[in-house]
Amino acid sequence: MARPARPGPWPPAPSQSQPLSWAKRTAFKNAPISNSGQISTPNATPSTPDLESGPTTASANAANAALPPPPANPVASAGANQNASANRVNGGANGTSTSNTSKERKPSPRQRERDSSAPLPRLREREAEEEHDELPQRHPHAVKYQLRDTPGLFPIIYYGLQHYLSILGSLILIPLVIVPAMGGSYEDRAAVVSTVLLVSGVTTLLHTSLGTRLPLVQGPSFVYLAPALALINSPELQGLNQNNFKHIMKELQGALIISAAFQAVIGYTGVMALFLKLINPIVVSSTIAAVGLSFFSYGFTQVGACLEIGILQILLVFIFSLYLRKIKLFGYRVFLIYAVPLGLGITWAIAFLLTETGVYSYKGCDENIPASNNVSEYCRKHVTRMKHCRANTSHALRDAPWFRFPYPLQWGTPVFNWKMALVMCLVSIIASVDSVGSYHASSLLVAERPPTAGVVSRGIGMEGIASLLAGLWGTGVGSCTLTENVHTIAVTKMGSRRAVEFGAILLILISLIGKVGGFIASIPDVMVAALLCFMWAMLAALGLSNLRYSANGSSRNCIVVGLALFFSLSVPAYFQQYGQNPNSNISVPSYFQPYVVASHGPFHTPYAGVNYVLNTLLSFNMVVAFVIAFVLDNTVPGSRQERGVYVWSKSEAARREPAVVKDYELPFNISRLFRWIKWVGL
């Protein structure tokens, strides 16, 4: 009688199997290994940052459906194949099946231990291959056009316009907030809006050419809005009697120029490349979310000045971006992509009709009399409400020139104050953390591999140059990568660098038309506040979306993020309870109260400058969130996979792959001139 076939290697227990080294450094789960030793990941692809859906084509779904399901245990599958082969040779004489044979002869515990300690087939050979195999690759269906693709003329024009229209709110809303706070007129608003458009176009071209080279729009950042408001509401600047706008703008310019130089230094010296090891999704998500949540006192407080118009604006944007987001017209998700401009246009048209038909009339009250001097209580309240509801209260469009060229130092010579400059320098670190998250998320959508640490450091250095230009031209806030870029790329499926560059050129040309700035400056304040409610909520959501790179169910991560967000609201509230300076007679609106604690907060050291810096910084939600998340994420024990540590490309591996070199290498062989600067290149 033939001897039964010897069973194959006993599969090691799941708890004893060692996961691949690359899986520890990425968000991948353990992938099945075939008999040939190749790693197959049909069902373990990295989660794409597409915010709407997965693969966009039916062929991708069919291809995934056609893939055979992987075995539950690859080593067990190999053993089963060996048993089947042995039974085909030796079976038949006694009709013993594979299952019966395996039941008859079970391996001893010593043999099981020896087999489990043996390396998996070709595992070490696989790990010894190229280093860049450890990195997450771009999702094959993330975008229609990749980073280096050059669509035809019409697609470039269409997608370039689409990209900038979808982030219109981030480009134009900040000047409409800070200029009135500085005491500027509607003409000043129009001038600052034109300046912002020009600087945004120029800095975007610089970033796509000499920065990270990713298709990321540069523009005024909400990160710089809080320190700008704190500086605007400083007691030493509140007592000005004339030229408030220009004097405060020069103070902002001086602080921005110094902070921009600081950011450029930490970028181009390679300090940022070292700092990257400590910046991970937990830190980025908490910090960006705190930026969005920090302006809750401004949003609906302003909307309440004309509830029917403000709520209509918010509802329209919600309906377009949420309920109608999957409806396509001509193959495009028009309502989702253009939610902000569509909502603004419809609300503005309704307000104009109500104004022209007499619904919003002053009803015999004199609108030229200041509210404080109006004897009639009815007229005092009614005139104030009508000025917020009517659509023709601004003459910015009528008074704006047809052509206007913004030029450097147009507001005068900057004023340098070391206290305000130090605050801005520390805030520029927060802006850099925001940009790092955008670099990583966008690279997974449009590029072959994530950038190297040197490329990231180069991008931060270029953002310092961008903020320097913003300070010289006088935009009021610093410039950095807009967080909304990632959402726009994911929704529009456009990752081409050329389309973003075309949009930047168009933005520069539009900035020279003064009527465009006047038109934007005439947007009613209530509509601006309503749009900001949506933009800030979107910013908080985009910040929290970075948690998808970490272990979402980890109690460690939940506690760290929860603590960071809670104390980012609670600690500034403690500082802000000091409110208005009791010795000052200056009246500050309630929504600006959080930014008036600089000189009379809880810190009372012998040095007034130190008091100003500490009281100001700790009243910023984003600073508190960053400090707590940064310390806890880098001190509380946790595996790399649990923390979702960002994985950047290694320079040596990136140089060996032509596609990665073409993605991030500087144009016109500029990299050859700076090969000795290893920390800002591939």
Side-chain angles (χ1 to χ4, degrees):
M1 184 173 66
R3 296 182 58 187
R6 184 173 180 175
W10 188 265
S15 59
Q16 296 177 350
S17 60
Q18 298 295 328
L20 298 181
S21 60
W22 61 268
K24 294 181 179 179
R25 284 174 283 187
T26 63
F28 285 87
K29 302 298 183 181
N30 287 341
I33 305 177
S34 63
N35 295 335
S36 62
Q38 299 295 326
I39 298 178
S40 175
T41 60
N43 295 325
T45 57
S47 58
T48 174
D50 188 353
L51 302 181
E52 289 304 311
S53 60
T56 58
T57 60
S59 59
N61 295 332
N64 290 335
L67 291 173
N73 192 321
V75 183
S77 176
N81 291 338
Q82 293 179 7
N83 292 341
S85 301
N87 279 285
R88 281 194 297 268
V89 176
N90 299 323
N94 54 2
T96 305
S97 63
T98 304
S99 58
N100 293 338
T101 304
S102 60
K103 289 180 180 179
E104 290 176 3
R105 299 193 57 180
K106 293 184 178 180
S108 62
R110 180 176 299 179
Q111 180 182 356
R112 187 183 303 116
E113 180 180 359
R114 182 176 65 253
D115 292 340
S116 64
S117 62
L120 296 176
R122 292 189 59 189
L123 177 57
R124 293 182 178 177
E125 180 182 351
R126 176 69 179 181
E127 291 181 348
E129 291 181 355
E130 298 180 0
E131 293 182 14
H132 60 260
D133 284 342
E134 301 174 352
L135 300 171
Q137 299 186 12
R138 180 182 57 81
H139 193 274
H141 304 289
V143 292
K144 295 177 181 177
Y145 295 97
Q146 301 177 23
L147 179 61
R148 289 178 282 110
D149 289 346
T150 303
L153 179 61
F154 177 76
I156 283 183
I157 296 175
Y158 173 78
Y159 285 112
L161 288 171
Q162 174 183 264
H163 195 98
Y164 284 84
L165 284 175
S166 62
I167 59 175
L168 180 65
S170 300
L171 290 174
I172 67 173
L173 293 181
I174 289 182
L176 304 183
V177 174
I178 64 172
V179 174
M182 290 189 286
S185 62
Y186 283 105
E187 290 74 17
D188 295 328
R189 292 195 203 188
V192 174
V193 168
S194 298
T195 304
V196 166
L197 296 179
L198 174 67
V199 173
S200 178
V202 172
T203 54
T204 299
L205 289 176
L206 289 175
H207 193 84
T208 56
S209 301
L210 303 176
T212 62
R213 308 212 69 200
L214 291 168
L216 300 174
V217 177
Q218 308 296 297
S221 173
F222 288 117
V223 174
Y224 289 97
L225 180 56
L229 292 175
L231 188 150
I232 291 170
N233 290 281
S234 298
E236 55 265 29
L237 298 180
Q238 287 292 312
L240 300 176
N241 296 323
Q242 56 183 358
N243 294 328
N244 291 28
F245 169 74
K246 288 189 176 181
H247 186 83
I248 296 175
M249 179 62 80
K250 290 187 290 185
E251 294 272 0
L252 285 172
Q253 286 182 267
L256 285 174
I257 290 173
I258 295 177
S259 66
F262 171 77
Q263 188 178 18
V265 167
I266 65 174
Y268 286 122
T269 57
V271 174
M272 196 63 200
L274 302 176
F275 194 49
L276 279 181
K277 300 177 182 179
L278 305 177
I279 301 176
N280 293 304
I282 303 299
V283 180
V284 173
S285 61
S286 303
T287 305
I288 300 177
V291 173
L293 296 175
S294 61
F295 300 104
F296 66 91
S297 63
Y298 180 90
F300 206 81
T301 305
Q302 286 286 79
V303 172
C306 185
L307 276 174
E308 61 270 26
I309 295 297
I311 292 179
L312 175 63
Q313 173 78 84
I314 294 175
L315 289 178
L316 284 176
V317 176
F318 283 179
I319 291 172
F320 291 150
S321 60
L322 295 176
Y323 294 99
L324 303 181
R325 71 184 189 278
K326 293 186 178 181
I327 296 178
K328 294 184 178 181
L329 296 178
F330 308 105
Y332 299 98
R333 294 178 177 175
V334 176
F335 296 106
L336 176 61
I337 297 172
Y338 305 112
V340 171
L342 281 176
L344 175 62
I346 294 175
T347 308
W348 205 350
I350 293 175
F352 181 79
L353 290 176
L354 294 176
T355 301
E356 293 299 318
T357 56
V359 176
Y360 288 153
S361 65
Y362 291 106
K363 297 181 179 180
C365 299
D366 189 355
E367 69 273 16
N368 297 319
I369 300 177
S372 58
N373 298 336
N374 206 319
V375 179
S376 172
E377 183 179 357
Y378 169 78
C379 286
R380 185 165 56 249
K381 294 181 179 179
H382 183 72
V383 169
T384 303
R385 183 173 178 273
M386 287 300 101
K387 286 184 177 180
H388 286 91
C389 294
R390 291 173 64 89
N392 63 349
T393 55
S394 169
H395 303 291
L397 179 60
R398 183 190 63 188
D399 298 337
W402 275 103
F403 297 99
R404 183 185 184 277
F405 182 77
Y407 54 92
L409 306 180
Q410 56 188 326
W411 314 117
T413 305
V415 177
F416 297 95
N417 186 314
W418 74 268
K419 298 182 297 182
M420 301 174 183
L422 182 58
V423 171
M424 282 291 187
C425 287
L426 296 177
V427 170
S428 67
I429 298 178
I430 307 294
S432 301
V433 172
D434 184 358
S435 297
V436 166
S438 299
Y439 294 168
H440 186 270
S442 61
S443 67
L444 296 183
L445 285 169
V446 303
E448 292 294 333
R449 305 280 181 177
T452 64
V455 171
V456 174
S457 193
R458 186 178 71 199
I460 298 301
M462 182 51 64
E463 290 193 8
I465 301 298
S467 291
L468 179 63
L469 296 179
L472 290 174
W473 260 261
T475 61
V477 294
S479 177
C480 75
T481 298
L482 298 179
T483 310
E484 294 80 359
N485 275 289
V486 179
H487 175 261
T488 300
I489 294 173
V491 171
T492 63
K493 308 294 182 183
M494 167 51 66
S496 172
R497 183 190 297 143
R498 296 288 177 255
V500 173
E501 290 173 342
F502 173 82
I505 295 174
L506 190 62
L507 210 62
I508 295 174
L509 297 177
I510 291 176
S511 69
L512 304 180
I513 304 175
K515 291 295 183 182
V516 173
F519 175 77
I520 295 174
S522 62
I523 300 176
D525 293 340
V526 171
M527 298 182 193
V528 172
L531 290 178
L532 285 172
C533 288
F534 175 79
M535 297 302 301
W536 287 328
M538 189 71 176
L539 184 62
L542 289 173
L544 293 176
S545 69
N546 284 275
L547 292 174
R548 66 180 178 270
Y549 300 113
S550 62
N552 296 332
S554 168
S555 60
R556 171 196 180 275
N557 297 344
C558 293
I559 293 174
V560 171
V561 174
L563 288 173
L565 291 181
F566 174 79
F567 284 107
S568 72
L569 298 175
S570 184
V571 173
Y574 167 73
F575 280 78
Q576 294 162 8
Q577 71 180 347
Y578 288 84
Q580 180 64 37
N581 189 344
N583 299 324
S584 174
N585 295 323
I586 301 173
S587 176
V588 178
S590 61
Y591 45 82
F592 285 149
Q593 287 292 337
Y595 311 104
V596 198
V597 299
S599 61
H600 53 275
F603 281 99
H604 296 286
T605 67
Y607 306 98
V610 175
N611 296 337
Y612 179 92
V613 173
L614 292 178
N615 288 325
T616 301
L617 286 176
L618 292 178
S619 67
F620 294 158
N621 308 73
M622 57 186 177
V623 172
V624 177
F626 169 73
V627 171
I628 293 178
F630 182 83
V631 172
L632 293 181
D633 187 52
N634 289 285
T635 56
V636 176
S639 65
R640 293 175 61 89
Q641 185 174 359
E642 182 182 17
R643 296 172 60 195
V645 175
Y646 285 142
V647 180
W648 306 100
S649 297
K650 300 295 181 62
S651 298
E652 296 78 8
R655 295 192 191 101
R656 291 196 300 265
E657 191 167 351
V660 179
V661 173
K662 292 179 180 179
D663 281 346
Y664 300 110
E665 191 176 31
L666 297 177
F668 310 116
N669 294 325
I670 298 178
S671 300
R672 295 183 179 181
L673 301 177
F674 301 98
R675 283 186 174 179
W676 57 277
I677 310 180
K678 301 295 184 182
W679 51 84
V680 294
L682 289 175

